[in-house]
C-alpha cells in the first residue's frame, strides 16, 4: 500500500467536503448561480479524484510501481489544476482561468488511462 497516496487522497477528500459545505453555506448569497455551479463542479471532481487517489494507494502493491506513481501524481495535480482553477474562477470571475482547467482534465484522463493499462497487465510477482 502506498500510504502517501492514501494520505493525500484523504486530505483532498476532507478539503472537498469542507469546500462543498463552504460553497453551500457561506457562498450561497455571495456568488451568482453560475459561479456556484462552477464551485460545485470543482467540488465534485475533487471528491471523485480524491477517492481515486486513495484507491490507487490501496492497489499499489498489485500494479507496476512506476505506473502507480504516475497515476497518483496525475490525480493529485489534476485536482490542484482542474478544481483549483474552477474555485478561483468562481471566486474571482476571471474568465482566463477557464483556459487552465482543461490541463487538469488532461491529468485526470491520463491517470485513468495509465490505471486501466497498468491493471490490464499481468500481476507482478514479489
Amino acid at each position: 500500500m502506498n500510504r502517501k497516496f492514501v494520505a493525500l487522497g484523504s486530505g483532498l477528500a476532507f478539503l472537498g467536503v469542507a469546500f462543498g459545505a463552504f460553497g453551500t453555506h457561506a457562498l450561497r448569497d455571495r456568488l451568482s448561480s453560475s459561479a456556484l455551479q462552477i464551485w460545485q463542479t470543482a467540488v465534485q471532481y475533487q471528491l471523485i479524484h480524491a477517492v481515486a487517489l486513495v484507491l490507487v494507494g490501496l492497489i499499489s502493491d498489485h500494479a507496476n510501481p512506476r505506473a502507480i506513481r504516475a497515476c497518483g501524481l496525475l490525480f493529485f495535480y489534476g485536482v490542484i489544476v482542474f478544481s483549483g482553477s474552477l474555485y478561483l474562477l468562481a471566486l474571482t470571475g476571471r474568465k482566463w482561468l477557464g483556459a487552465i482547467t482543461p490541463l487538469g482534465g488532461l491529468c485526470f484522463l491520463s491517470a485513468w488511462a495509465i490505471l486501466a493499462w497498468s491493471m490490464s497487465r499481468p500481476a507482478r510477482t514479489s
Side-chain angles (χ1 to χ4, degrees):
M1 174 173 59
N2 188 321
R3 295 171 61 90
K4 289 179 185 175
F5 287 148
V6 174
L8 277 174
S10 298
L12 288 174
F14 173 89
L15 289 174
V17 172
F19 290 168
F22 181 72
T24 298
H25 299 291
L27 298 177
R28 177 180 44 210
D29 297 330
R30 295 191 171 126
L31 296 180
S32 68
S33 61
S34 173
L36 280 173
Q37 192 171 23
I38 291 168
W39 184 273
Q40 290 304 322
T41 298
V43 169
Q44 177 184 11
Y45 275 78
Q46 179 171 340
L47 288 171
I48 290 167
H49 292 92
V51 172
L53 187 53
V54 169
L55 293 175
V56 163
L58 293 175
I59 66 168
S60 63
D61 292 340
H62 305 287
N64 179 302
R66 289 177 56 202
I68 287 296
R69 178 171 165 72
C71 263
L73 291 174
L74 285 165
F75 279 138
F76 178 74
Y77 292 131
V79 168
I80 300 304
V81 174
F82 186 91
S83 294
S85 65
L86 289 180
Y87 291 132
L88 289 172
L89 173 61
L91 292 173
T92 67
R94 311 262 175 170
K95 301 292 185 195
W96 64 267
L97 288 162
I100 298 170
T101 307
L103 297 175
L106 185 59
C107 288
F108 291 150
L109 290 169
S110 299
W112 286 114
I114 291 169
L115 184 59
W117 173 84
S118 167
M119 296 311 292
S120 70
R121 314 302 308 156
R124 67 180 198 183
T125 56
S126 303

